[in-house]
Amino acid sequence: MANTEETKSIPADPSTDGHTGEERDPLVRGDLSFHDITELVSRHTEKKAPPAWYAAFAVALSGTVLLLALFAYVSWNGIGTWGNNQPVGWGWPIVNFVFWVGIGHAGTLISAILFLFRQQWRTAINRSAEAMTLFAVMCALIWPTFHVGRVWVIYWTLPIPNQMEMWPQFKSPLLWDVFAVSSYFLVSLVFWYVGLVPDLATLRDRAKNFWRKQILGFFSLGWTGSNRHWRNYEKAYLLLAGLATPLVLSVHSVVSFDFAVSVLPGWHTTIFPPYFVAGAIFSGFAMVVTLMVITREIYGLKNLITIDHLEKMNIIILVTGTIVGFAYITEFFMAWYSGVQYEQYAFLNRAFGPYAWAYWIMMTCNLITPQLFWSKKLRRSIPVMFVLSIFVNIGMWFERFVITITSLHRDFLPSSWGYFEPTWVDIGTLVGSFGLFFTLFLLFLRFVPMVAMAEVKGVMPEADPHHYDIGNGHAGDGEPYIEPATITAVERPDRS
Amino acid sequence: MADSVSSNTSLSWLIDPLESTRDAAEGAYQFAGDRRAWLVPLILGFALITISAMGGWQNPDDFFFAYLAGWSFLLTTALGGLLFLIFHHLTRASWSVVVNRINETLVWAFPLLFVLGLPLLFGMHDLYHWTHPELYDPSSSHYDEILAGKRAYLNFPFWCARMVVYFLAWTIVSYRLYTFSVRQDVDPDPSIPAKLRSTSAWGLPLTAVTLAFASYDILMSLDPHWFSTIFGVYFFSGGILSAVAVITLVALLLQNLGGQLQNTITREHYQDLGKYMFGFVVFWAYIAFSQYMLYWYGGIPEETVWFQHRLQNGWGWHSAFLLGFHFVVPFLVLLPRAPKRSHMILSFMSVWVLVMHWFDMHWVVLPVLRESGGFHWLDITCWLGLAGIFGGILMYRLSRHPLVPQNHPFLSESLHFENA
């Protein structure tokens, strides 16, 4: 819909599709040149946003306003306006926190872990997935901030020398959360920004407006793309990827420690660290699929974000979904095997107690739906993957709900059994956090190149130094003949 | 399926299911060593096992526990290799093609391991407390209510049935991965890569689930009151590390002692193997620490007792050794780029990692028997004996087939691979 204005027609839809065999799939389809890629990506930041963008932005922004208003309301009136009660002291805020941190993890997986594994297909989706990480981590950080009773002394969680000579307790995983999530945010931001520099320089060089040129010139840090720039850039990127990988695994492990270090049946279990990480990748990839399916359609990026990319993401959803499913079975088996009556009851309560509906939503969405991706036809079908990816995120929200609420509402003493019901504030803040997320994501789509142009160009066949020496060393039809370099006459610079 | 390679029919099927395709190998990929390459470790292994068996006559407890530690070392290594192979098929990795055959010969190990595991059946009563019938008799003074509750799972016939199922599953997956690949050497059937991938696809969940339950049955049930949900992952993390070390070590032996594959496996491949070794050292530490920290933090008596046994009475030293030498030292050595590209350091580190993996298994198994720590000479002879038999047969298989999958579609990509 949006690619009707350009002067030169760049193929936006895949020209070929579907093949099997041992040759590698082309990462970019439609015979695009380097220039076409620049055009395809840059133009969205240079022309006016389509009306649909304004409509979506208005909706998202009103969600953000709702969130801010509700947090003001909660801070003024107290956290009793949430549905939390005495046995269930952790309600939706912590559920939403873990949910949003989990969403963020796919971005780092794509940008860092897949980079370490030399998965070149990551290049087309990496920029938007990293942006998604940043916005999801912002949406996550608001919950630990506002679920406390006294938000104005939240800075006491930081180890700052003070007149009281008081320090935070370093044995609390909630403090580790502060360090984990804030360093995760900072490293992700730096990683994303380092990746952006060459692309911002491209936008700068294309800028026709004075102020646009100034602003982009400032943020692209004088990038000229010299050999030395690129050498240092690649090294820095590799190091950041190497650092971000253990970081991303440790962040969600620390989040899982919030539960696992406790002695509560249903929380205290050792598989939580890897299982939470797998769940985070599972839900995060589902969110990337949801967003990419829409973005490639609306912004005409089907030749860059091809169906093969989406299929690979669906395979990762299948793998991590199966790991999560296996963890459910392990937990259930161990609860029985442990011979501890509280553990056994906690799991029976999940499956057959008052929150059985939540448990079975979780099981259906997380254990069964991803298994449909075993079929190649289904995992290459846009409507199927769109619906399934939303199902996965519903299921993963309920996973955190089930872990948090069902373990709390019935534990050791039957006299302190309760039931948790959310209030309108709980619901409003969750909706509002989606508003904040989409506000930021829409701003990103509007102002920042949504595909890493420099990286996509680097994985195109033409970027291979051996691309033109096919066959007998002579240029074929339609290939430019490149004169071999001769070193007979070396011109010396005139040094007068 | 093209039947260009005939199957072995007799008992030797257990050792190598296919007849030799050595003559079909291209010159550079033909095993150049003679029979000493596999005969020497095999004979040494048999000698050590015979000595151990004689020692076991005197101290059956020590023998069976030592044997279990050594056997678990081999089992986890083979399982780690199987999963490592599956990952590379599924992700269509090309760098690893030149070392795939070494991994495939490692992976066809489950029939042999099953046979090597049979002696443990004679030690069930010594090894596994839950096999004692008086525990389940309410009139006995040894009656154990908790174990009685687990009896539906922990009982001898069901345990044996599960073992058969696990080994059957692993054998089927590894048989397909091994034989398809060896057939491809002589018959480049274009459908083979897809078959390898589809086997890997269903083989992955099957292997993962059976591996986890095998870890509960073989190692966790040594202390039947204790339980940990992460235990299967712990078992996997050590095994895959050990498998990467075996692949690296065999590649280095072939190159530096046998003069084979000189320009095939390059420093670029070693750097990648070194990266995996580093990565799984960290992964092992992550899993091991998560398990320890969560139990230490919770302090629930029935869970901490496992670590209590491993931190007191001399076992504390073993635990500290694991931290220092299973994690810190390999972490620091393998972190920079240069050591991963050095044959000498990498072969040293492969041996180091293998020793530490055995030490890890020893640390899991032996505290059940020996409360005060320390080693028995049987611990070492059982382990080295089993490893000798296993390694000898691995080399024998390797000598019968081309050393790399010579018709693999990604072989040329792998030969020209560079770490960018």
Side-chain angles (χ1 to χ4, degrees):
Chain A
M1 58 175 282
N3 48 344
T4 48
E5 310 167 18
E6 60 268 12
T7 48
K8 178 180 172 258
S9 96
I10 306 167
D13 290 317
S15 53
T16 52
D17 196 27
H19 73 103
T20 49
E22 280 317 300
E23 73 276 18
R24 302 271 178 193
D25 301 321
L27 292 166
V28 175
R29 292 187 185 272
D31 287 325
L32 299 183
S33 68
F34 286 155
H35 179 68
D36 290 340
I37 289 177
T38 313
E39 284 293 332
L40 259 181
V41 178
S42 305
R43 63 180 185 195
H44 299 299
T45 69
E46 289 163 352
K47 64 178 191 202
K48 273 193 162 178
W53 185 89
Y54 284 101
F57 189 71
V59 174
L61 195 65
S62 53
T64 311
V65 172
L66 172 71
L67 181 76
L68 294 176
L70 284 179
F71 276 142
Y73 176 80
V74 168
S75 306
W76 186 258
N77 290 295
I79 52 169
T81 49
W82 270 322
N84 301 6
N85 51 34
Q86 201 43 265
V88 187
W90 276 1
W92 280 29
I94 206 89
V95 175
N96 299 339
F97 165 68
V98 183
F99 174 77
W100 279 115
V101 178
I103 295 291
H105 277 44
T108 319
L109 184 96
I110 290 167
S111 56
I113 299 183
L114 295 184
F115 181 78
L116 294 185
F117 283 118
R118 294 190 289 262
Q119 297 292 310
Q120 296 189 328
W121 60 273
R122 68 178 263 291
T123 51
I125 47 171
N126 126 49
R127 174 71 41 77
S128 40
E130 266 284 273
M132 194 193 79
T133 294
L134 291 173
F135 308 144
V137 174
M138 287 182 194
C139 288
L141 274 169
I142 56 180
W143 302 105
T145 312
F146 282 97
H147 87 133
V148 298
R150 296 172 195 172
V151 63
W152 51 92
V153 290
I154 194 94
Y155 70 96
W156 285 358
T157 59
L158 302 174
I160 304 169
N162 55 64
Q163 78 282 12
M164 302 181 286
E165 298 199 24
M166 297 273 274
W167 300 89
Q169 165 62 279
F170 282 89
K171 277 186 185 172
S172 165
L174 297 178
L175 183 72
W176 309 339
D177 273 347
V178 174
F179 299 132
V181 184
S182 55
S183 47
Y184 182 49
F185 179 73
L186 283 177
V187 171
S188 299
L189 183 66
V190 171
F191 196 30
W192 185 67
Y193 182 62
V194 167
L196 260 175
V197 167
D199 281 4
L200 291 177
T202 304
L203 290 193
R204 171 200 65 196
D205 296 343
R206 291 166 56 92
K208 297 195 175 75
N209 169 309
F210 175 77
W211 283 111
R212 185 177 165 82
K213 204 171 190 74
Q214 293 304 308
I215 292 167
L216 286 166
F218 177 78
F219 282 109
S220 57
L221 308 176
W223 178 266
T224 60
S226 75
N227 194 351
R228 187 178 293 194
H229 275 180
W230 275 115
R231 213 180 120 75
N232 290 332
Y233 170 90
E234 295 285 351
K235 260 189 195 158
Y237 202 79
L238 179 63
L239 282 177
L240 280 170
L243 286 172
T245 300
L247 186 66
V248 69
L249 299 188
S250 67
V251 167
H252 217 66
S253 300
V254 165
V255 169
S256 82
F257 290 160
D258 294 348
F259 304 96
V261 298
S262 74
V263 292
L264 209 60
W267 280 12
H268 183 71
T269 178
T270 46
I271 206 171
F272 265 16
Y275 149 55
F276 266 51
V277 172
I281 295 167
F282 179 55
S283 66
F285 262 78
M287 187 62 113
V288 179
V289 169
T290 313
L291 294 177
M292 286 302 104
V293 163
I294 302 172
T295 308
R296 73 198 278 273
E297 188 72 40
I298 291 184
Y299 287 95
L301 294 172
K302 286 185 185 168
N303 273 324
L304 292 180
I305 303 166
T306 63
I307 193 83
D308 295 324
H309 286 87
L310 296 170
E311 187 188 3
K312 288 190 168 86
M313 288 195 263
N314 290 334
I315 292 176
I316 294 184
I317 289 176
L318 170 62
V319 171
T320 49
T322 310
I323 295 176
V324 168
F326 179 56
Y328 293 159
I329 295 165
T330 303
E331 279 193 309
F332 229 107
F333 171 76
M334 272 311 157
W336 174 81
Y337 180 86
S338 71
V340 179
Q341 53 168 330
Y342 303 107
E343 283 287 335
Q344 292 174 343
Y345 179 75
F347 281 87
L348 287 179
N349 181 45
R350 278 186 191 178
F352 305 110
Y355 286 108
W357 56 274
Y359 180 80
W360 293 108
I361 290 177
M362 165 189 107
M363 285 304 247
T364 316
C365 291
N366 293 350
L367 201 65
I368 298 166
T369 51
Q371 302 305 322
L372 295 177
F373 281 145
W374 280 96
S375 149
K376 192 179 178 80
K377 205 175 149 198
L378 293 183
R379 66 175 184 251
R380 288 178 78 89
S381 151
I382 301 279
V384 170
M385 72 174 82
F386 186 72
V387 172
L388 281 195
S389 66
I390 290 171
F391 264 56
V392 166
N393 268 322
I394 294 172
M396 285 308 290
W397 190 87
F398 272 101
E399 183 197 291
R400 282 69 177 244
F401 177 86
V402 165
I403 291 172
T404 312
I405 310 282
T406 64
S407 311
L408 281 170
H409 87 120
R410 285 186 176 179
D411 60 358
F412 295 110
L413 294 176
S415 58
S416 31
W417 284 3
Y419 191 81
F420 169 86
E421 269 172 290
T423 62
W424 64 277
V425 185
D426 282 300
I427 299 166
T429 43
L430 174 61
V431 173
S433 70
F434 276 93
L436 175 63
F437 178 77
F438 281 108
T439 305
L440 296 166
F441 195 75
L442 286 164
L443 286 172
F444 155 77
L445 290 179
R446 175 76 188 85
F447 292 107
V448 179
M450 61 189 88
V451 172
M453 294 182 271
E455 290 202 43
V456 171
K457 289 175 193 172
V459 300
M460 283 176 55
E462 294 87 336
D464 183 352
H466 297 291
H467 178 64
Y468 291 111
D469 40 75
I470 339 152
N472 53 8
H474 297 285
D477 291 336
E479 304 285 358
Y481 176 67
I482 297 167
E483 192 81 39
T486 47
I487 41 165
T488 45
V490 180
E491 298 270 336
R492 289 187 179 275
D494 191 15
R495 292 188 192 160
S496 51
Chain B
M1 188 193 302
D3 258 328
S4 41
V5 187
S6 30
S7 305
N8 272 338
T9 43
S10 53
L11 260 181
S12 55
W13 188 89
L14 296 176
I15 290 169
D16 187 351
L18 296 174
E19 287 196 342
S20 172
T21 54
R22 185 179 177 174
D23 299 332
E26 286 173 28
Y29 304 145
Q30 207 168 40
F31 188 79
D34 52 25
R35 61 178 61 187
R36 277 177 305 179
W38 52 269
L39 215 49
V40 171
L42 196 61
I43 289 171
L44 282 177
F46 271 118
L48 283 170
I49 283 296
T50 315
I51 295 169
S52 309
M54 290 191 293
W57 207 256
Q58 306 288 322
N59 311 305
D61 272 3
D62 285 304
F63 172 75
F64 283 121
F65 275 88
Y67 195 91
L68 180 63
W71 185 73
S72 308
F73 166 82
L74 297 179
L75 180 67
T76 47
T77 307
L79 283 169
L82 184 57
L83 287 168
F84 198 62
L85 188 63
I86 284 175
F87 295 153
H88 284 104
H89 283 312
L90 282 181
T91 54
R92 297 223 234 169
S94 61
W95 75 271
S96 60
V97 172
V98 293
V99 294
N100 265 3
R101 181 52 46 80
I102 299 173
N103 197 359
E104 285 158 6
T105 50
L106 165 68
V107 159
W108 181 254
F110 297 105
L112 173 72
L113 281 170
F114 187 77
V115 174
L116 287 180
L118 291 177
L120 289 171
L121 290 178
F122 298 100
M124 288 298 283
H125 191 79
D126 299 314
L127 289 167
Y128 296 104
H129 181 60
W130 50 264
T131 53
H132 295 214
E134 68 272 17
L135 295 170
Y136 308 108
D137 178 8
S139 59
S140 155
S141 60
H142 292 287
Y143 178 69
D144 189 323
E145 201 184 351
I146 293 178
L147 290 189
K150 301 184 187 193
R151 204 177 181 189
Y153 187 77
L154 288 182
N155 61 75
F156 186 65
F158 190 31
W159 189 90
C160 291
R162 286 199 302 274
M163 284 299 140
V164 171
V165 170
Y166 302 152
F167 274 89
L168 211 58
W170 300 332
T171 305
I172 290 169
V173 176
S174 59
Y175 178 80
R176 290 176 67 89
L177 294 181
Y178 179 71
T179 54
F180 280 136
S181 177
V182 172
R183 279 177 209 277
Q184 196 181 29
D185 292 339
V186 288
D187 171 30
D189 179 354
S191 69
I192 284 182
K195 282 181 186 162
L196 287 169
R197 268 204 303 282
S198 67
T199 304
S200 303
W202 57 258
L204 176 58
L206 180 68
T207 312
V209 172
T210 46
L211 174 144
F213 278 89
S215 77
Y216 311 149
D217 291 347
I218 297 168
L219 295 183
M220 206 167 85
S221 74
L222 285 168
D223 195 343
H225 284 106
W226 185 74
F227 52 90
S228 168
T229 43
I230 209 176
F231 199 77
V233 188
Y234 182 74
F235 191 76
F236 156 75
S237 68
I240 194 159
L241 173 63
S242 175
V244 176
V246 168
I247 296 165
T248 314
L249 194 64
V250 172
L252 285 160
L253 283 174
L254 284 174
Q255 277 200 322
N256 295 354
L257 299 181
Q260 293 268 285
L261 302 177
Q262 291 293 358
N263 296 316
T264 309
I265 303 179
T266 65
R267 281 179 203 281
E268 306 293 335
H269 300 106
Y270 285 121
Q271 194 189 339
D272 264 16
L273 286 166
K275 284 182 204 168
Y276 272 107
M277 216 186 283
F278 173 81
F280 285 115
V281 160
V282 179
F283 183 71
W284 174 87
Y286 161 62
I287 299 298
F289 176 73
S290 296
Q291 178 169 270
Y292 170 71
M293 195 276 286
L294 292 174
Y295 278 170
W296 167 80
Y297 205 115
I300 297 173
E302 67 260 27
E303 297 170 350
T304 49
V305 63
W306 196 81
F307 282 105
Q308 200 182 6
H309 281 315
R310 282 158 184 80
L311 289 170
Q312 289 176 347
N313 301 331
W315 284 104
W317 283 107
H318 293 242
S319 303
F321 260 58
L322 270 184
L323 173 66
F325 299 125
H326 198 308
F327 173 59
V328 178
V329 169
F331 178 86
L332 293 176
V333 173
L334 292 170
L335 186 54
R337 176 183 157 98
K340 294 194 279 273
R341 296 173 75 88
S342 149
H343 285 199
M344 211 177 67
I345 299 178
L346 208 56
S347 37
F348 180 77
M349 286 317 294
S350 306
V351 176
W352 180 285
V353 161
L354 288 173
V355 173
M356 286 323 296
H357 179 57
W358 169 75
F359 187 73
D360 183 23
M361 289 292 116
H362 187 264
W363 177 84
V364 168
V365 171
L366 266 298
V368 179
L369 171 72
R370 241 173 262 148
E371 296 215 332
S372 50
F375 297 91
H376 192 279
W377 63 269
L378 278 167
D379 299 352
I380 313 286
T381 53
C382 280
W383 166 48
L384 290 179
L386 285 170
I389 296 172
F390 185 86
I393 291 177
L394 191 158
M395 291 309 280
Y396 172 72
R397 272 196 296 277
L398 206 54
S399 72
R400 286 161 55 88
H401 302 288
L403 293 173
V404 299
Q406 55 188 18
N407 283 325
H408 195 288
F410 293 157
L411 179 62
S412 107
E413 247 182 88
S414 183
L415 289 170
H416 299 116
F417 163 68
E418 277 179 48
N419 273 287

